[in-house]
Amino acid sequence: MEPTPNLPVRADIVQLRDGTHIYTDQLPTAFQQQGPPPVVHIHQAPPDRTGQRVALGTGIGAGTVAAGVYFGPLLVGVITSMAISLAVVALVAVATTWGLVTVVRTVAQDGDQAAKNLRKARRRSR
């Protein structure tokens, strides 16, 4: 006996929760839809699903939404890490600049004092 190929499921056949298949015209009235499905507005969606509903509503695939759900937190982590690294680099740059300016001012003041002392010594030697 040969295995049967995977045939596409007909649109008028549904699978119930217990795993059995049934034709849609034989469904109990509780399962039959009376009209169009209810519309769920974006502001009614839970916060973690709003982006997904917007994305799926625009027609992009579920794979893109899944990638956004997976890579979204990773992207936030990477950006946070980069911001922390840049903040540390900025702090080191500020500390280095402050120290350099302090040293230059001190040396300049000592240099000015040394120049004044040298001028006084030259005047006295004349």
Side-chain angles (χ1 to χ4, degrees):
M1 183 179 251
E2 294 181 19
T4 59
N6 292 335
L7 298 175
V9 178
R10 290 180 29 182
D12 57 348
I13 297 176
V14 294
Q15 184 176 6
L16 299 177
R17 292 185 195 132
D18 62 358
T20 60
H21 292 80
I22 189 170
Y23 288 101
T24 55
D25 59 349
Q26 297 174 357
L27 281 174
T29 56
F31 289 107
Q32 292 178 354
Q33 293 182 353
Q34 299 301 327
V39 176
V40 177
H41 296 281
I42 290 175
H43 65 275
Q44 295 172 336
D48 59 333
R49 301 277 191 233
T50 302
Q52 296 173 26
R53 289 186 187 204
V54 169
L56 288 174
T58 60
I60 63 174
T64 307
V65 174
V69 169
Y70 180 76
F71 290 114
L74 290 177
L75 182 63
V76 169
V78 167
I79 290 173
T80 303
S81 175
M82 289 170 53
I84 291 171
S85 298
L86 288 174
V88 169
V89 168
L91 180 65
V92 168
V94 167
T96 302
T97 304
W98 176 76
L100 186 61
V101 167
T102 303
V103 168
V104 167
R105 283 182 181 167
T106 303
V107 169
Q109 288 174 356
D110 290 343
D112 288 343
Q113 187 63 36
K116 288 178 186 177
N117 291 340
L118 185 60
R119 282 187 223 127
K120 286 181 185 178
R122 283 187 186 170
R123 287 184 196 156
R124 289 184 194 154
S125 64
R126 288 187 183 175

